[in-house]
Amino acid sequence: MVGYITKRALWAIPTLVFVSFISFVIIQLPPGDYITAYAAQLRHGGEYLTEAQEAAMRQQYGLNDPILVQYWRWISNILFRGDFGHSLEWNAPVSSLIWERLGLTLAISTLSMVFTWIIAIPVGVYAATRQYSLFDYLFTVFGFLGKGIPDFLLALILMWLGFTWLNMDVGGLLSPRYESAPWTFDKVLNLLSHLWIPVVVLATGGAAGLIRVMRANMLDEMGKPYVETAYAQGLSERQVVWGYPVRVALNPFISTVGWALPALFSGDVITAVVLNLPTTGPLLLQALKMQDMYLAGSFILILSVFTVVGTLVSDVLLAWSDPRIRYA
Amino acid sequence: MSVNTTPMPPERLLQLDDVHVHFSMREGLVRAVNGVSYHVDRGEVLGIVGESGSGKSVTARAIMRLLSKNAIEAGGRIRFRPEPGKEVEISSLPRDGRQVRELRGGHIGMIFQEPMTALSPVHSIGTQIMRTVMLHRRVGKEAARARAIELLERVQLPKPTEMIERYPHQLSGGMRQRAMIALALSCDPALLIADEPTTALDVTTEAQILELLKSLQAEMGMAIVFITHNFGVVADIADRVAVMYLGRIAETGSVDDIFYQPKHPYTRALLQSIPRLGQAPVRRLKTIPGMVPDPFNAPAGCAFHPRCAYAVPGRCDTLVPEVSLFPGDQSARCHLAGELPEEAL
Ligand SMILES: Nc1ncnc2c1ncn2[C@@H]1O[C@H](COP(=O)(O)OP(=O)(O)OP(=O)(O)O)[C@@H](O)[C@H]1O
Ligand code: SF4
Ligand SMILES: [Mg+2]
C-alpha cells in the first residue's frame, strides 16, 4: 500500500510540471495580449494608447521575453515566494484575489459533495433493494426532474422562494454588512444562511444522476454469486447489502471524488454567476475574457493541480477500498 | 397429493416432501420444482443428478430459503433436524427470519458452482470466514481468526496464516473452491449442500477437490447433498442417488442399485450416455434423443414421455406415474418401473 501510494505520488510530479507549462502556454495562445485588450478597452472609453506607450508597457511587464523565460519567472515566483504575479486588470497581486474565493469554493464544493453522497447512496441502495416499489418510481421521477432542470433555473427558483416566502436576503454568500467584517460567529451564521441555496442546487443536480448510477451498480452487484454466498452464511439482509454489494458498487464513485473539485471551478460557473457567488468560476471567466494572463494562468494552474491531486486522492482511496487494485 | 406427515425417523437429517417451487415470469409460470421428495440421513452423502434445468439448484435454494424474489414456494414440506431430538420445519419459517439465518451457515453450509465469483472480491479470505464464525459461534476476533487458520489448514491450503490475508483474486480456481469449502464448513454444519462444486474446474483440480470433500466428510462426519451432472462423480462420492428430471425425482436408490438395477428409463438413458469402467470398449455411447422440454409447457402425463424409448401411448402421455417402491429404499416414478425389459447397460 505504501509502495503504491509513493509510486502514484511520484508519477504526479512530471504530470504537474507538464500541466503547469501547458496552462501557461494556453493563456498565451489567443492573438494579442493584455496590453492589446487594455488598449481596446481604453479606446472604447474614448482614450487611446500610443504605440510607444504600448511598447513601454510590454517592456515593463516582460511580455517581450521568450516564452520559456516568462514561464520560469512565473512558476519560480509561485513555487519559491507564493507570488502568483500581478493581475493587470485588478491592479492587485493575484494571491490576494484568489485565496478567499478558493476557500469558499472548496467549502461549497465539499459541502455539496457530502450532501450529494448522503442523499444519493442510501436512496440508490434502497431503490435497488426495493426495485419497482413506489419508492423506486418516486425517485426515478425525482432523478429525471433533477437531471432535467438546469441548475441555474433551480437556483433562480430557490432564490425567489427564499426572497418572497422566507424573507431572506439571497444571492452572494454574505449580507453586505458582513462582507468586509472580520470572521465572527454571526458572520459564520450569516454565511450558512446563504450557503444552503448553492449547496442544494449543486447537490440535487449531482444526486439525481448519482442515484441512478448507484441503483444500477447495486442491481448489478446484487445479482452476483458472492451476495448469495453472504446470505448463505446467515447474515441478515442489512448486513449483506451494506457489507458486500455496497462496498463494490461504491468503487466507481470513489474513483471520481477527485474530479468534483475541478468541476465546480468550471462547470458550475453559470450557477455561481446567477447566485452572485464570490467563488472562483466567475472570476476565472472574467480573467479569460480580459486576457488577464497572470490571474487566468494562476486559476488554470490551481485547477490543474487540484485535478492531479484529486485524482491521486481518488486512486489512493480506491486502492484502500478495493484489494483488486491494491494488489494489481 | 397428500403431504407426508409421519414423523421423521431419528437418523433423518433433512427431508423434503412434495416440494413445489414456481417462478412467475412475464412469459408465464415456470414450474421449476414440481413435487420433489428426497431425504438425507445424518452423515450420508446424497448425489443429485439430472440434466440442466431439471431443478436441482432451485430445490437446493428452497432448502436454504434463498430463492429469488419472483419465486413462489407453492407447497410441500422441508424438515431439518439441527440436533438430535429437535425438528425444524424450514418451509414454514419466515424467509429471512432469525431462525432461518441461524440455520444458514450455522447448521447448513453451501458451496456454489462458480468459485471465481462466489467469494466477496473486497474482503480477505480470513475476514469472510471469521465473519461467519463470529456470527454463529459468538466468539471474539482472536478465536475466530484461530478457527479460520485451522479451517484453511484442513482444506489443505498452503501457509494458512498468510492465506487468511489473501483476497480471492489472488487465488486460483481450485484454491478459491478450497476457501469456499472452508467457509461453508466454518461452523461444523450437519449438512453441506454442494451445488456442482467442481463443474467449473479442470479435471485434475476436480479430482483433488472431490478427494478433499471425501476426506473432510470422513473426518467431520457431515452429511452432503452433492449436485452434479456427472454420474462418474456421483459413483465416487455418494451413498445414495436421486435422479431429477423436469422438477421431479425420477428415481432414487443406493449407488449400486441405481448403477446396476436402474428402474427408470431416464436413469438408464443417462447411464448409457456415459463411459463406464469394466465394459467392452466397443459399446457405443448413446445420447438421449430430443431436448429437455422448456419449463413453460412441460409435457402432460410423464414428463419424460416424448423422449422415452418405452413410452406407452395413451398411458404415459396422459397419466402422471405414481412412485413405485422397491426393496432397499429404491423408488422410481414410472408406469413401467420393475417391468422394463432387461437391457445391457
Ligand atoms: N430466478 C428464476 N426465475 C425464473 N426461472 C428460474 C429462476 N431460477 C431458475 N429458474 C428456472 O427453473 C428451472 C430449474 O433451474 P435450476 O437452476 O434448478 O436447474 P439445474 O437443475 O440446477 O440446472 P443446472 O444443471 O444447469 O444448474 C430452469 O428452467 C430455470 O430456467
Ligand atoms: S412413465 Fe412411460 S414415458 Fe415415463 S419413463 Fe416410464 S415408460 Fe417412459
Ligand atoms: Mg444448477
Side-chain angles (χ1 to χ4, degrees):
Chain A
M1 187 77 183
V2 175
Y4 176 83
I5 296 176
T6 320
K7 204 173 76 187
R8 293 283 313 148
L10 286 178
W11 260 112
I13 293 171
T15 317
L16 283 173
V17 172
F18 181 71
V19 147
S20 68
F21 185 70
I22 292 294
S23 11
F24 190 75
V25 170
I26 284 176
I27 53 173
Q28 304 278 359
L29 274 184
D33 52 28
Y34 172 72
I35 307 298
T36 327
Y38 182 62
Q41 201 190 25
L42 283 182
R43 253 198 308 283
H44 206 68
E47 303 173 45
Y48 68 96
L49 288 176
T50 62
E51 294 271 322
Q53 275 173 309
E54 279 190 33
M57 281 183 81
R58 286 208 171 85
Q59 192 63 38
Q60 181 192 344
Y61 290 116
L63 297 182
N64 293 327
D65 296 340
I67 189 159
L68 269 178
V69 173
Q70 292 193 47
Y71 167 71
W72 176 247
R73 193 157 55 218
W74 178 66
I75 200 76
S76 58
N77 275 340
I78 292 175
L79 283 180
F80 303 130
R81 268 177 273 147
D83 176 6
F84 282 83
H86 198 79
S87 163
L88 301 170
E89 196 201 344
W90 296 74
N91 199 12
V94 168
S95 48
S96 75
L97 289 169
I98 54 176
W99 286 121
E100 193 169 1
R101 281 172 182 254
L102 262 179
L104 286 172
T105 307
L106 256 171
I108 292 178
S109 61
T110 313
L111 265 180
S112 60
M113 190 164 81
V114 167
F115 269 95
T116 306
W117 284 50
I118 288 177
I119 300 169
I121 291 169
V123 171
V125 169
Y126 193 85
T129 52
R130 302 279 180 276
Q131 196 189 3
Y132 305 137
S133 64
L134 179 67
F135 182 89
D136 187 20
Y137 284 123
L138 211 69
F139 271 92
T140 308
V141 173
F142 167 79
F144 282 126
L145 286 180
K147 281 255 98 163
I149 298 176
D151 277 357
F152 74 88
L153 189 61
L154 189 59
L156 284 173
I157 294 171
L158 285 182
M159 279 164 80
W160 177 73
L161 286 178
F163 185 72
T164 52
W165 295 96
L166 301 174
N167 206 13
M168 292 167 60
D169 102 76
V170 289
L173 281 179
L174 289 166
S175 302
R177 68 198 142 98
Y178 286 107
E179 223 136 72
S180 45
W183 283 98
T184 58
F185 185 66
D186 282 346
K187 185 168 174 178
V188 173
L189 276 188
N190 187 266
L191 176 70
L192 288 180
S193 77
H194 284 79
L195 210 54
W196 70 272
I197 291 183
V199 167
V200 166
V201 169
L202 295 175
T204 43
L210 223 57
I211 287 173
R212 301 309 295 169
V213 179
M214 190 67 196
R215 178 179 176 278
N217 284 355
M218 278 301 287
L219 285 175
D220 227 34
E221 288 304 321
M222 284 195 309
K224 296 205 173 148
Y226 71 88
V227 176
E228 189 170 38
T229 306
Y231 277 112
Q233 283 170 259
L235 297 167
S236 69
E237 181 174 358
R238 199 156 40 96
Q239 289 169 316
V240 172
V241 168
W242 289 97
Y244 294 75
V246 168
R247 278 284 311 271
V248 184
L250 275 182
N251 287 339
F253 292 111
I254 293 176
S255 60
T256 56
V257 180
W259 303 340
L261 210 52
L264 198 92
F265 274 88
S266 45
D268 302 310
V269 176
I270 300 177
T271 312
V273 172
V274 167
L275 285 172
N276 191 19
L277 298 181
T279 51
T280 44
L283 192 61
L284 171 61
L285 190 65
Q286 178 67 15
L288 284 173
K289 278 200 307 207
M290 281 307 293
Q291 289 190 34
D292 188 350
M293 61 181 237
Y294 285 115
L295 186 55
S298 304
F299 269 130
I300 293 178
L301 177 70
I302 290 168
L303 191 73
S304 316
V305 169
F306 271 129
T307 311
V308 172
V309 171
T311 310
L312 181 66
V313 168
S314 290
D315 286 352
V316 169
L317 282 177
L318 194 60
W320 167 72
S321 104
D322 192 339
R324 288 169 299 183
I325 290 180
R326 197 180 330 155
Y327 296 107
Chain B
M1 251 174 280
S2 68
V3 165
N4 184 351
T5 48
T6 50
M8 299 203 294
E11 73 280 7
R12 191 66 30 102
L13 180 64
L14 171 77
Q15 182 166 325
L16 282 72
D17 290 298
D18 200 27
V19 172
H20 292 255
V21 179
H22 303 164
F23 292 96
S24 67
M25 309 266 285
R26 215 172 296 139
E27 300 88 337
L29 196 67
V30 182
R31 293 173 202 275
V33 173
N34 215 356
V36 162
S37 305
Y38 63 67
H39 62 85
V40 186
D41 287 343
R42 208 160 271 283
E44 181 187 44
V45 180
L46 173 71
I48 299 196
V49 251
E51 282 165 289
S52 199
S54 53
K56 307 182 294 292
S57 302
V58 171
T59 313
R61 293 198 164 89
I63 298 170
M64 292 292 267
R65 301 299 299 275
L66 281 175
L67 291 165
S68 58
K69 288 200 176 123
N70 64 335
I72 304 162
E73 289 161 297
R77 259 180 123 191
I78 301 173
R79 285 177 287 173
F80 182 74
R81 181 167 284 147
E83 49 208 71
K86 205 175 146 197
E87 197 178 300
V88 191
E89 187 167 335
I90 301 180
S91 49
S92 65
L93 297 176
R95 251 185 77 111
D96 270 313
R98 194 179 47 80
Q99 282 167 292
V100 168
R101 279 188 272 129
E102 264 168 28
L103 291 177
R104 290 183 192 153
H107 297 277
I108 310 178
M110 189 152 178
I111 312 174
F112 298 93
Q113 182 170 342
E114 300 89 9
M116 300 319 263
T117 49
L119 290 164
S120 163
V122 293
H123 297 90
S124 69
I125 303 295
T127 311
Q128 300 188 43
I129 297 176
M130 284 160 64
R131 246 211 173 137
T132 313
V133 174
M134 292 191 314
L135 184 71
H136 294 289
R137 294 255 169 111
R138 304 188 193 294
V139 295
K141 231 178 172 148
E142 277 315 303
R145 196 185 135 88
R147 171 78 180 151
I149 293 173
E150 180 201 327
L151 283 159
L152 293 182
E153 208 169 310
R154 277 215 175 161
V155 297
Q156 295 158 22
L157 279 168
K159 302 193 189 141
T161 40
E162 289 168 31
M163 197 56 75
I164 57 167
E165 313 288 347
R166 296 289 191 82
Y167 290 86
H169 74 275
Q170 299 172 304
L171 310 184
S172 70
M175 287 163 99
R176 287 189 210 187
Q177 202 57 302
R178 282 173 197 267
M180 188 71 224
I181 293 171
L183 178 63
L185 296 180
S186 56
C187 299
D188 264 323
L191 177 67
L192 176 68
I193 300 176
D195 190 352
E196 307 198 27
T198 57
T199 308
L201 304 172
D202 64 77
V203 189
T204 328
T205 318
E206 169 169 39
Q208 288 168 351
I209 296 285
L210 280 180
E211 272 318 302
L212 174 69
L213 278 173
K214 281 202 296 195
S215 75
L216 286 172
Q217 203 265 335
E219 203 179 307
M220 303 170 76
M222 73 281 185
I224 304 181
V225 172
F226 195 100
I227 299 171
T228 175
H229 291 134
N230 188 335
F231 249 120
V233 171
V234 165
D236 192 21
I237 195 170
D239 302 312
R240 279 192 311 114
V241 184
V243 180
M244 272 192 88
Y245 188 75
L246 268 191
R248 286 209 176 92
I249 301 291
E251 177 165 13
T252 146
S254 70
V255 171
D256 284 348
D257 286 342
I258 293 289
F259 269 77
Y260 299 108
Q261 286 154 24
K263 298 284 194 287
H264 196 287
Y266 180 59
T267 315
R268 283 194 177 190
L270 278 181
L271 286 169
Q272 281 166 348
S273 69
I274 57 160
R276 303 171 84 190
L277 282 178
Q279 282 201 332
V282 289
R283 186 182 68 108
R284 294 274 303 272
L285 292 180
K286 291 185 190 168
T287 51
I288 306 177
M291 304 241 299
V292 184
D294 87 82
F296 292 108
N297 27 48
C302 171
F304 188 53
H305 83 259
R307 304 170 75 194
C308 179
Y310 306 94
V312 183
R315 189 168 173 214
C316 293
D317 50 6
T318 49
L319 287 174
V320 176
E322 289 297 319
V323 177
S324 325
L325 295 171
F326 297 92
D329 211 8
Q330 188 178 7
S331 65
R333 209 183 247 277
C334 169
H335 291 305
L336 303 185
E339 301 160 23
L340 290 178
E342 285 299 319
E343 194 182 330
L345 284 173

